[in-house]
């Protein structure tokens, strides 16, 4: 994944987390969202993104 794809994925995960908090029955199991989050965060670190950049991308996906 390139940096733009990682940022988009982090935003998607944040939206999933936000939806889970609002309504647990979003169609995605919490364990799936957490696994995607771990994988995407690892990819972000491997792409050289800082924790601040990762956090910023994630926050952008929250309502």
């Amino acid at each position: 994944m390139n940096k733009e794809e990682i940022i988009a994925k982090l935003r998607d995960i944040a939206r999933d987390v936000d939806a889970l908090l609002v309504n647990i029955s979003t169609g995605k199991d919490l364990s799936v969202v957490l696994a995607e989050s771990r994988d995407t965060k690892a990819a972000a670190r491997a792409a050289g993104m800082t924790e601040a950049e990762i956090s910023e991308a994630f926050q952008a996906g929250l309502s």
Side-chain angles (χ1 to χ4, degrees):
M1 274 190 275
N2 64 38
K3 190 172 178 177
E4 290 78 24
E5 291 170 325
I6 292 167
I7 289 171
K9 185 67 174 172
L10 286 166
R11 288 177 179 165
D12 288 344
I13 292 169
R15 287 184 197 105
D16 289 343
V17 168
D18 199 39
L20 284 168
L21 294 173
V22 172
N23 182 358
I24 295 299
S25 61
T26 62
K28 275 195 175 182
D29 185 82
L30 181 58
S31 62
V32 172
V33 173
L34 292 174
E36 287 177 352
S37 177
R38 283 190 297 270
D39 292 346
T40 304
K41 193 166 184 181
R45 287 181 178 138
M49 290 178 69
T50 66
E51 290 298 319
E53 290 173 314
I54 294 168
S55 179
E56 182 181 320
F58 187 82
Q59 290 292 328
L62 296 174
S63 307

